Amino acid sequence: MPPPSGTTAHPPAEVLISEVGPRDGLQSVKTTMPTADKCTWLDALVAAGLREIEVASFVPAKRLPQMADAAHVVRHARRHPGLTVVALVPNLRGAQDALRAGAHKLTLPVSASAAHALANTRKTPAGMVEEVRAIARLRDELSPGTRLEVGISTAFGCSLQGPVPPDDVIRLAAECIAAGADESGLSDTVGYAHPAQVRSLFRRLRAEIGEHAGAAHMHNTRGLGLANCFAAWDAGVRTFDASLGGLGGCPHAPGASGNVVTEDLVFMFQAMGIRTGIHLEKLFAARQALAAGLPGEPLYGMTPQAGLPKGFGQRP
């Protein structure tokens, strides 16, 4: 029997856009955004419908002064009901501080490239797996409900090391899950990936770790960010990292500029009929809060500049 008029047999497809600008973006610019402006920007992102935001990185203030207010920002973000507050932690000490502040989810970068791992965390990939194990134990003791996510950095290549063997990437992801991580995603840290590579590696990841396969974190360094996100979606990925205005990169990966622009990614999925839960006009408004906190910092994005097509349905 066909569904009643006005309904569909299946609900529309849906994706989760995880906004990483307040962490990945802000730690990559020289200017330190004032804490009050960070909170205003976060409020605007939530108002636009973002359900998961990576708000801070728990690293020593001497190393990243942009993140010195991480605990305050986490506590502010927790005021928003229904928002998953994510914090990046590079080590056990960072995890302790993030758990104490009340982050709902910890994300740990584990690089498949030995050269990048040493530059970014001062540990080898094997050493980072042990760090995952220690953090998982700490999480289980202090806050069992907090999720632990691992992002496999330089999964598609490294500007320090060069090619990264896919077998190394998949093995490392599986080891992180075995060490206690809840999910493991793949990151194109330096913008080397192309769609065929993304589709192939995410299919292998999902075949290896199943429901533990996590987000796609793509960069637009060479203009393939959206194409790579589509390839990941085609391979079954349903969570995507992105940064408002394309803010951010990686300070330990030369040339790794340009996170995927949140506004463009949301537009692509909504144009395809895939729900994001995000209101594009309100997302454009959040750019104003970002620009006010970082005056003079260039912001990117084709959709905000061109506007929405005439007749475009504004259903999040």
Side-chain angles (χ1 to χ4, degrees):
M1 178 181 294
S5 178
T7 68
T8 58
H10 302 285
E14 185 173 7
V15 295
L16 173 66
I17 306 297
S18 183
E19 172 62 42
V20 301
R23 192 282 301 175
D24 193 347
L26 293 185
Q27 77 171 35
S28 301
V29 298
K30 294 181 179 180
T31 304
T32 298
M33 181 186 279
T35 303
D37 289 326
K38 286 186 184 181
C39 294
T40 299
W41 181 27
L42 282 169
D43 295 344
L45 290 169
V46 174
L50 270 299
R51 294 169 286 157
E52 180 172 294
I53 304 177
E54 190 176 305
V55 303
S57 177
F58 282 82
V59 296
K62 289 183 179 180
R63 185 179 178 191
L64 279 177
Q66 302 95 320
M67 297 288 118
D69 56 0
H72 179 95
V73 174
V74 166
R75 288 192 291 267
H76 177 85
R78 279 179 54 91
R79 299 177 186 177
H80 292 285
L83 175 67
T84 298
V85 180
V86 185
L88 182 136
V89 298
N91 49 38
L92 184 63
R93 174 60 187 273
Q96 291 171 333
D97 292 340
L99 289 170
R100 190 177 299 118
H104 300 132
K105 183 177 182 179
L106 307 181
T107 183
L108 183 70
V110 177
S111 183
S113 157
H116 182 264
L118 291 171
N120 194 39
T121 60
R122 301 176 185 174
K123 290 181 180 291
T124 64
M128 285 304 297
V129 172
E130 291 308 309
E131 201 75 9
V132 172
R133 197 181 314 278
I135 292 172
R137 285 197 298 263
L138 178 72
R139 181 273 314 270
D140 293 344
E141 294 172 6
L142 300 182
S143 182
T146 301
R147 290 187 63 79
L148 176 57
E149 169 193 58
V150 166
I152 304 298
S153 307
T154 62
F156 301 93
C158 174
S159 53
L160 299 174
Q161 173 181 306
V164 176
D167 289 350
D168 292 355
V169 174
I170 300 303
R171 181 175 60 252
L172 187 60
E175 289 174 352
C176 288
I177 297 301
D182 297 298
E183 57 187 278
S184 179
L186 302 179
S187 300
D188 181 23
T189 312
V190 296
Y192 277 15
H194 58 77
Q197 182 188 23
V198 169
R199 184 180 291 109
S200 173
L201 200 56
F202 267 108
R203 284 177 176 170
R204 285 193 60 182
L205 181 73
R206 290 171 59 81
E208 181 70 26
I209 63 175
E211 63 183 11
H212 298 290
H217 182 106
M218 299 289 124
H219 281 206
N220 198 43
T221 311
R222 292 169 178 79
L224 292 178
L226 288 182
N228 287 334
C229 285
F230 177 80
W233 179 84
D234 193 46
V237 177
R238 293 299 179 263
T239 301
F240 299 85
D241 292 350
S243 179
L244 197 78
L247 198 67
C250 177
H252 300 290
S257 60
N259 282 304
V260 168
V261 177
T262 305
E263 303 93 303
D264 292 341
L265 185 64
V266 171
F267 173 74
M268 181 185 81
F269 280 126
Q270 290 186 187
M272 293 167 58
I274 298 169
R275 294 181 61 86
T276 65
I278 298 170
H279 192 285
L280 273 167
E281 294 287 2
K282 293 180 180 179
L283 194 62
F284 297 163
R287 286 171 67 97
Q288 300 172 17
L290 171 56
L294 287 178
E297 187 68 33
L299 301 180
Y300 304 95
M302 305 297 289
T303 306
Q305 296 178 24
L308 299 178
K310 186 175 182 179
F312 182 78
Q314 184 53 271
R315 288 188 296 176

